[in-house]
Amino acid sequence: MGTGSYQTSPAGATADFGDRSSCDDGAKVSDGCHNETNAMNFPALTRGRLMRRYKRFLADVLLPGDDTPVCVHCPNTGAMSGCQTAESAVWLSHHDNPKRKLVWTWELVETEAGMACIHSALANDVVEEALRAGHFPSLFPAGAELQREVKIAEGSRADFFIPADAGLYIEVKSVTLHCGDGVGAFPDAVSARATKHLGELQAAIARGHRAALVFAVLHAGITRVVPAEDIDPTYAAALQQAMASGVEVYTLLNDITVDGIYPVSVHRWDTR
């Protein structure tokens, strides 16, 4: 599948996104991201060197001045292609919670194409930050209520629900797979779960609701997103069908730094 049906900019697949403070409807948003009280700030991070990732949720990292790697929590269930290269510089957060088995959590990795956040759960947090900061005025009107983890189907919850008008369900997917030339792709491994979510969004539309999918980019080298048809053709086809059924698809670009993750701009996918 080509990317012609999935443009994130009306100027074409290779177009620059332009003003990185723009919203989905072209409105300007004030730059209030890099301040001490921002919800997306990291705690102080410690730099280390990645030795290996294993068993999906674990990684060995060598800290400065140490000869023996420490075992850290890897908060990502995906393939993490391009984000788990041995000897890469990584940044860890430290946690004093006595109930935790591992005191370190892997947050960031420096890739050949730029900084990436591998903590996939933060995608939901940065989308909420972007919604509340006014980056999605067509989705989240001023004064609206925002709910998280709301039932959308039996045994399944949407990441967000906005109970305004007909009601809007939002599903969020983090994107870290960098394919070169600023292109990011989702998913990075076959994902029946992600395909199921698309079906649930379509079903919500059939019940009279709105539904949206937000690709939260957690990689500094990615400026546009396409479906990873070569990895999961079933998902790519399902995404095309979902868009044809009325699911609104957006890309959220973010500033990825050791200080925090800050929403920058939003672009709605062209369905032509």
Side-chain angles (χ1 to χ4, degrees):
M1 182 189 305
T3 61
S5 297
Y6 299 97
Q7 301 302 323
T8 53
S9 167
T14 59
D16 189 280
F17 279 115
D19 189 334
R20 292 176 63 86
S21 64
S22 63
C23 301
D24 64 313
D25 63 353
K28 296 289 183 178
V29 175
S30 61
D31 183 12
C33 8
H34 299 258
N35 60 65
E36 294 181 358
T37 61
N38 192 286
M40 292 309 301
N41 288 346
F42 284 122
L45 299 183
T46 298
R47 190 176 189 273
R49 181 156 50 94
L50 179 65
M51 298 290 98
R52 62 169 182 151
R53 178 208 183 196
Y54 55 102
K55 296 182 179 179
R56 289 202 302 174
F57 297 108
L58 302 175
D60 287 341
V61 174
L62 192 63
L63 297 177
D66 289 348
D67 297 324
T68 303
V70 294
C71 181
V72 309
H73 173 52
C74 176
N76 192 308
T77 62
M80 287 178 52
S81 301
C83 293
Q84 56 175 341
T85 304
E87 302 296 325
S88 295
V90 297
W91 280 261
L92 313 176
S93 58
H94 187 270
H95 305 269
D96 294 325
N97 187 340
K99 296 182 179 180
R100 285 182 55 126
K101 293 182 178 180
L102 301 173
V103 300
W104 295 101
T105 294
W106 180 4
E107 305 285 356
L108 303 172
V109 59
E110 183 68 41
T111 76
E112 292 183 355
M115 189 77 80
C117 174
I118 63 91
H119 195 153
S120 56
L122 294 184
N124 285 26
D125 294 338
V126 76
V127 168
E128 178 172 353
E129 181 74 11
L131 285 163
R132 296 191 183 281
H135 286 274
F136 290 93
S138 65
L139 298 183
F140 190 57
E145 179 185 359
L146 182 63
Q147 302 174 2
R148 292 186 68 155
E149 298 295 326
V150 174
K151 180 179 178 180
I152 188 174
E154 191 63 37
S156 185
R157 295 177 179 272
D159 292 313
F160 297 99
F161 181 70
I162 300 171
D165 300 321
L168 167 65
Y169 289 97
I170 301 176
E171 185 67 28
V172 176
K173 300 300 180 188
S174 64
V175 181
T176 58
L177 177 58
H178 183 266
C179 304
D181 296 325
V183 178
F186 181 90
D188 64 359
V190 174
S191 179
R193 184 169 180 268
T195 299
K196 179 172 75 77
H197 290 160
L198 291 175
E200 291 169 350
L201 293 176
Q202 292 177 80
I205 290 176
R207 297 195 302 269
H209 302 290
R210 288 176 68 193
L213 172 65
V214 177
F215 289 109
V217 175
L218 299 185
H219 193 302
I222 295 174
T223 57
R224 63 186 179 96
V225 177
V226 299
E229 185 183 24
D230 57 330
I231 295 174
D232 193 343
T234 300
Y235 180 83
L239 179 58
Q240 184 177 30
Q241 177 59 46
M243 293 177 68
S245 299
V247 175
E248 304 166 37
V249 182
Y250 299 83
T251 296
L252 170 64
L253 299 181
N254 301 289
D255 189 15
I256 313 295
T257 77
V258 296
D259 295 319
I261 303 173
Y262 310 107
V264 173
S265 60
V266 174
H267 305 276
R268 183 170 178 174
W269 288 31
D270 188 350
T271 57
R272 292 173 297 176

